[in-house]
Amino acid sequence: MSASNLPHEPEFEQAYKELASTLENSSLFEKNPEYRKALAVVSVPERVLQFRVVWEDDNHQVQINRGFRVQFNSALGPYKGGLRFHPSVNLSILKFLGFEQIFKNALTGLSMGGGKGGSDFDPKGKSDNEIRRFCVSFMTELCKHIGADTDVPAGDIGVTGREIGFLFGQYRKIRNQWEGVLTGKGGSWGGSLIRPEATGYGLVYYVDHMIKHATKGAESFAGKRVAISGSGNVAQYAALKVIELGGSVVSLSDSKGSLVLAGEGSFTPAEIEVIAQLKVDRKQLASIVSTDAFASKFKYIEGARPWVHVGAVDVALPSATQNEVSGEEAQALIDAGCKFIAEGSNMGCTQAAIDIFEAHRTANPGSAAIWYAPGKAANAGGVAVSGLEMAQNSARINWTAEEVDGRLKGIMESCFRNGLDTAVKYATPAEGVLPSLVTGSNIAGFTKVAEAMKEQGDWW
């Protein structure tokens, strides 16, 4: 990882160090020293694709973007992971996301490897025709490298159902076959029910298990004050599920600022619906803060994340993007009485924040501590239902919403139990101290992939 001939990739290096440090600080390498070799092998992608994407804007001007696909690991199944269209996209970010995806997918128990892709194209401000032309050009190259049994991309930031439709249509035309090559498809042509809701719902199902375990079944989401960042797909559906389970949602945010409840109460489903439409229209929260419906109930903090502004909270769900909880904000959440934090976003917490949460957990027995859950476990619901969409496509059937939601609940419980039990085995906590979900989840995901790779001759 530190070889001088490697490019500087800060996001990927952070993700690697986060995983490696938890493995080092457990008894895993002591009990299985050969796993060090597996870590070295799994940290190098099987394949990295980079290509140019040339398209024409509405003014008939040629535009050029970079396209990427990191096919990281296929030991457990076809590469699986989203496509991100955002100006910030680069190889470091996609490698970090693909690396996380390997172990997240392993934790679901489904047959999926890990990958990630995207482009530095920005869909904001573009017409539908410009987005379609870009997607056609992007898929014209990508289609040579993916397939239902090879690599199955999905949506991510900037890639909604609209983009998935354009991408799928071009794949079908060029390859002359209809197959489940993308997930997040439209409901009438191969999509799965509950897929849009899956990451947010799954996050809340996971945290519900945390609450019940820490309080020995005495508490649930009922009556809890919950701070959420982001206002996209994950944040919206997490908020709606929290409200359904009796909790209060006190914040949402976007890249320009945070909307925080001014007093008691909660966001309502109707208010979240207004915000959801705002995101479909690609507008910012700032555009509604002065309206009568919002000005009397919420305060808008420009240029800030919500964590230090929400007052007393019980649960925090970072659901926007990577590194959105700093060390200072982590301490502020602890001081505000927060007992549970789980990442709806990938690598939502900085390493400094994770260190503070973990130190507080080890120093405080039982429910007196804050308990942290990493994204690779807590937000696995999205890719889990993508896996269920793949299964439905392969069998040419559709499950009901109840069937999919039931399977999602089972997968999230399994993710929680697996991480919990593995932490007890390899990082046994002191008497009364809650186990480390980050260590347990990392080891559980890593060992499953490492064993499959070993049996297939990828390391020995």
Side-chain angles (χ1 to χ4, degrees), residues 136-269:
V136 164
S137 182
F138 182 86
M139 182 52 81
T140 299
E141 177 60 31
L142 187 65
C143 76
K144 302 168 188 173
H145 311 286
I146 63 175
D149 296 314
T150 304
D151 184 353
V152 184
D156 191 75
I157 294 171
V159 178
T160 65
R162 171 181 56 179
E163 286 78 15
I164 292 292
F166 294 149
L167 292 164
F168 185 86
Q170 182 67 357
Y171 181 91
R172 179 176 52 79
K173 292 179 184 80
I174 292 181
R175 297 286 290 263
N176 192 29
Q177 57 193 46
W178 194 109
E179 59 176 344
V181 68
L182 290 158
T183 54
K185 296 185 291 299
S188 63
W189 47 277
S192 175
L193 294 168
I194 307 291
R195 177 61 191 92
E197 299 91 335
T199 310
Y201 280 14
L203 173 66
V204 174
Y205 294 153
Y206 187 100
V207 176
D208 199 42
H209 288 296
M210 293 172 69
I211 294 170
K212 285 170 179 167
H213 181 88
T215 64
K216 296 181 170 56
E219 297 177 24
S220 67
F221 264 102
K224 296 280 186 291
R225 280 174 58 90
V226 182
I228 301 176
S229 67
S231 50
N233 183 285
V234 180
Q236 291 166 27
Y237 288 113
L240 290 170
K241 185 57 72 172
V242 166
I243 294 164
E244 182 187 318
L245 296 180
S248 301
V249 175
V250 300
S251 68
L252 291 168
S253 69
D254 62 18
S255 59
K256 301 297 183 186
S258 296
L259 200 57
V260 178
L261 193 71
E264 294 301 308
S266 170
F267 278 83
T268 65

Side-chain angles (χ1 to χ4, degrees), residues 320-376:
T321 189
Q322 67 263 19
N323 290 330
E324 53 172 316
V325 182
S326 67
E328 287 178 16
E329 288 165 321
Q331 190 56 54
L333 284 169
I334 290 171
D335 295 342
C338 186
K339 293 290 183 246
F340 305 94
I341 177 161
E343 294 173 336
S345 53
N346 294 308
M347 208 164 72
C349 297
T350 62
Q351 190 60 54
I354 296 169
D355 291 345
I356 287 167
F357 295 141
E358 287 291 273
H360 195 267
R361 177 188 58 79
T362 55
N364 293 276
S367 57
I370 192 166
W371 204 12
Y372 161 75
K376 65 172 62 70

Side-chain angles (χ1 to χ4, degrees), residues 19 22-23 28 35 38-39 42 73 75-76 99-109 112 374 376-377 414-415 418-420 422-423 426 437-453:
L19 178 90
T22 57
L23 302 185
L28 179 70
Y35 275 151
L39 177 61
V42 80
N73 195 285
L76 296 180
F99 188 66
E100 289 274 293
Q101 199 79 48
I102 301 167
F103 311 110
K104 180 189 302 188
N105 293 358
L107 288 169
T108 68
M112 299 183 292
K376 65 172 62 70
S414 174
C415 278
N418 198 357
L420 190 76
T422 306
Y426 288 106
L437 291 174
V438 61
T439 298
S441 300
N442 280 343
I443 294 173
F446 169 76
T447 53
K448 182 173 182 181
V449 175
E451 281 305 303
M453 290 171 67

